[in-house]
Amino acid sequence: MLVTGGAGFIGANFVHYTVRNHPDYEVTVLDALTYAGNQASLDPVAGRVRFVRGNILDAPLVNRLVADSDIVVHFAAESHVDNSLAGPAAFIQTNIVGTYTILEAVREHGVRLHHISTDEVFGDLALEGTDKFTEQTAYDPSSPYSASKAASDLLVRAWVRSYGITATLSNCANNYGPYQHVEKLIPRQVTNVLTGQRLKLYGEGLNVREWTHVDDHNAAVHLILDRGRSGETYLIGSGDERSNRQIIEAILAAMDQPADAFDFVPDRPGHDLRYSNDSAKIRAELGWAPVYGDFREGLAATIDWYRANEWWWKPQKAATEARYAALNR
Ligand code: NAD
Ligand code: TDX
């Protein structure tokens, strides 16, 4: 199995999950170690996986690694919306051209692909409402990040239809858990508490996200690898929707901080209002169900992980906050 982006948040957790639960796979990780990648995230499985530092835009390298694989799980991406607004170029290259590079290699070698994507390709839902995205929802992305992910999904579908490659896709909502970069909402706020800084809430904090534990996401990916049908898209989501303000309040309470220890900061341009996935298809067809049923428990375990692993996140913290300061966020 070739795992692209295996030194990032979800990819590293996927590699851990695979080694733990599917030891029959021989795993090779291909990762460029951008600012978002950290080879130390793979320390717990060192010796069990092969690590190749390289770029998915490097077609000869990708071709060689794909030729040696039976299956490719493609996580590598530029993943942060705020970064895409500040500088979209890397998103076009990695997310679109990089996926194209993978597609050409799997086509040449007849290797099966699973493409990891996001619910952000569908745009957003009204704040007040109970409707959800489904596999049939039309694509309507808002940010350079989500537009680049939408483009990559459409390329995968076209390569299935026109070239007959074997590929599946999944679109998950927001993930949380260990090894997530401190630029993302939950790790940023937890590490703000741990470094004595106030928490930062965009706009009025009313925007809603659906939170899925990273291990539940990765369990779903393995079910798709085992029994997913080629050409199909599977939406993944826990059903646990929370406003950003609720998330901040939960973090402050869990970390024994005053309830008002946060600031409202200028909103993200084009900020998607609400995400929510209808995951009925993967639940019915593949029997997936989240095991992290209690968000507060999962959050508490995640906070404990950041407390215990300052060595992992501290080197990134100051540079990340400097990037936010430049955006006034
Ligand atoms: P991340 O930013 O933590 O990790 C991305 C990894 O890809 C890093 O290790 C980075 O070094 C690597 N990478 C980036 N550009 C590369 C390139 N050109 N060549 C090789 N490697 C490169 O991202 P994440 O949060 O783990 O997201 C992984 C995937 O899951 C992405 O495709 C993302 O769109 C998708 N996704 C993320 C979430 C979420 O909540 N984080 C939710 C749904 C879907
Ligand atoms: O400091 C903050 N304050 C704040 O209010 C940060 C960093 C974020 N926010 C808000 C913006 C969003 O409404 O919190 C919400 C979550 O923000 P992010 O962690 O940046 O995630 P989001 O933009 O929702 O995208 C995430 O989920 C879908 C991942 O980063 C994507 O890769 C994935 O596709």
Side-chain angles (χ1 to χ4, degrees), residues 1-3 12 14-29 39 41-52:
M1 173 190 284
L2 178 65
V3 180
F14 176 81
V15 173
H16 294 189
Y17 186 97
T18 302
V19 167
R20 223 170 33 241
N21 298 298
H22 300 270
D24 41 317
Y25 281 112
E26 282 173 34
V27 177
T28 296
V29 169
Q39 200 177 342
S41 303
L42 295 170
D43 281 354
V45 292
R48 304 285 300 277
V49 304
R50 177 162 78 115
F51 183 82
V52 177

Side-chain angles (χ1 to χ4, degrees), residues 122 125 129-135 137 210 235 237-241 274-280:
F122 302 119
L125 300 162
T130 53
D131 51 335
K132 291 174 178 289
F133 301 130
T134 73
E135 285 82 4
T137 302
E210 180 188 26
L235 263 51
S238 65
D240 195 327
E241 290 181 38
R274 181 169 69 90
Y275 303 143
S276 179
N277 274 345
D278 180 346
S279 51

